[in-house]
Amino acid sequence: MKQNIYDNAVFFENYKALRENPINYNELMEQPQMKSMLPDLKGKRVLDIGCGMGDLSMYCVENGASSVTAIDPSSNMLQEAQTRNAHSAIEYVQTSIEDAVFAKERYDIAVSSLVMHYVANYDKVIHSIHSALKDDGVLLFSSEHPIVTARKAGKTWIEDEEGKKLHFAVDDYQEEGRREAAWFVDAVVYYHRSFSTLCNGLLQNGFSLIDVNEPIPDDHAIAQLPRIAHELRRPSFIILKAKKTAHLY
Ligand SMILES: C[S@@+](CC[C@H](N)C(=O)[O-])C[C@H]1O[C@@H](n2cnc3c(N)ncnc32)[C@H](O)[C@@H]1O
């Protein structure tokens, strides 16, 4: 079983604390935008890739999905999911998306919130999701934005002597691949891909792109968490919505 940073005790405790306080980037910005882009869930079979603690899986069931297959490689995350978001219509499965084996054309909708930047082989994963979706099935995923993942020396703002943010550092944009940055612990691994690679991975694997969103915070979010206003200067996330429109041979 492929392991990941979410099974590191220090990382996990910090991440859990971050998500337990609803004043965070996910709840104020990324999740509302993702949910607003979901297709009608009524009676649909959903695949939740990298379900984490299962909140989005539960949202899908509460909004009419007939079943959710929720996959994640992390024991810690799945343990939380079983505790917080157990439901007879949700099946939690411990696997990475790379190792998962799906029945062909089983799902109407595949969702994935902030997981794709942990995936090393994006093209292969998109191909496998395509095969698991029915015709006209929808894939909706969010990822860290290429502007943020680009720089090899890490994600950072350039600041003046007083700590005022002058601009965000973008570099190494066309050099795709593995990156490391400190987040709760040292050297968390993720992968940088350009915007064109994200789109072409879909277009070349039988999907049509139907929506692209670079979430921005609304006034409510800024009032709750003033520093989220920096998202107006550079986006942290990108959300892509695509439909399976072609068969691959
Ligand atoms: C930022 S969390 C997001 C969790 C959940 N989707 C949410 O929005 O609350 C990223 C999740 O991706 C999972 N993950 C990392 N690599 C993965 C992979 N290769 N396949 C599937 N899930 C993965 C992690 O275990 C973690 O639960």
Side-chain angles (χ1 to χ4, degrees):
M1 172 68 57
K2 191 179 206 133
Q3 283 306 307
N4 70 41
I5 196 69
Y6 290 80
D7 281 336
N8 172 298
V10 174
F11 181 94
F12 180 67
E13 282 314 312
N14 280 280
Y15 179 79
K16 192 156 75 104
L18 175 83
R19 294 301 296 268
E20 276 169 353
N21 178 352
I23 301 176
N24 64 50
Y25 281 51
N26 305 66
E27 299 313 319
L28 292 173
M29 199 175 63
E30 184 263 348
Q31 279 295 297
Q33 300 280 316
M34 276 283 279
K35 288 172 182 166
S36 76
M37 294 169 75
L38 275 168
D40 183 9
L41 290 158
K42 290 203 181 58
K44 301 291 169 52
R45 278 187 173 172
V46 176
L47 172 64
D48 184 356
I49 300 159
C51 62
M53 297 186 256
D55 293 348
L56 187 57
S57 298
M58 184 57 99
Y59 175 88
C60 291
V61 166
E62 285 173 349
N63 285 275
S66 58
S67 67
V68 179
T69 303
I71 68 164
D72 201 291
S74 160
S75 312
N76 284 341
M77 293 297 249
L78 287 179
Q79 222 166 355
E80 285 297 323
Q82 297 280 10
T83 310
R84 298 164 186 227
N85 287 309
H87 193 288
S88 56
I90 306 176
E91 184 191 13
Y92 289 107
V93 182
Q94 185 169 17
T95 179
S96 70
I97 179 64
E98 294 91 334
D99 293 338
V101 180
F102 303 113
K104 269 187 184 261
E105 306 195 0
R106 179 173 179 77
Y107 299 101
D108 301 288
I109 300 169
V111 293
S112 182
S113 168
L114 296 177
V115 179
M116 244 13 127
H117 51 271
Y118 294 122
V119 161
N121 191 337
Y122 174 72
D123 198 60
K124 192 165 162 227
V125 162
I126 296 298
H127 191 278
S128 136
I129 297 169
H130 179 275
S131 150
L133 281 171
K134 297 178 188 172
D135 286 353
D136 290 333
V138 168
L139 166 61
L140 175 69
F141 73 86
S142 61
S143 183
E144 284 206 80
H145 199 288
I147 281 180
V148 169
T149 55
R151 188 167 172 265
K152 287 181 174 171
K155 309 166 185 176
T156 194
W157 287 86
I158 305 300
E159 299 178 339
D160 68 12
E161 297 85 48
E162 277 92 49
K164 182 168 173 260
K165 288 180 168 41
L166 298 175
H167 49 263
F168 190 78
V170 179
D171 204 350
D172 311 310
Y173 185 84
Q174 300 290 13
E175 261 188 81
E176 298 187 321
R178 194 178 191 276
R179 303 283 192 268
E180 287 182 6
W183 189 36
F184 305 136
V185 296
D186 287 342
V188 176
V189 174
Y190 54 98
Y191 294 87
H192 168 65
R193 295 178 185 94
S194 66
F195 180 66
S196 54
T197 294
L198 287 175
C199 295
N200 287 331
L202 294 166
L203 300 173
Q204 289 161 8
N205 280 294
F207 286 98
S208 296
L209 201 48
I210 51 179
D211 203 355
V212 181
N213 183 332
E214 294 167 302
I216 55 170
D218 60 16
D219 291 346
H220 166 76
I222 295 170
Q224 297 283 307
L225 184 63
R227 69 183 158 82
I228 207 172
H230 294 308
E231 295 296 305
L232 298 167
R233 299 177 64 186
R234 68 95 182 84
S236 289
F237 309 122
I238 188 157
I239 308 178
L240 299 176
K241 181 176 179 179
K243 185 186 268 199
K244 174 171 174 171
T245 48
H247 280 267
L248 302 172
Y249 299 99

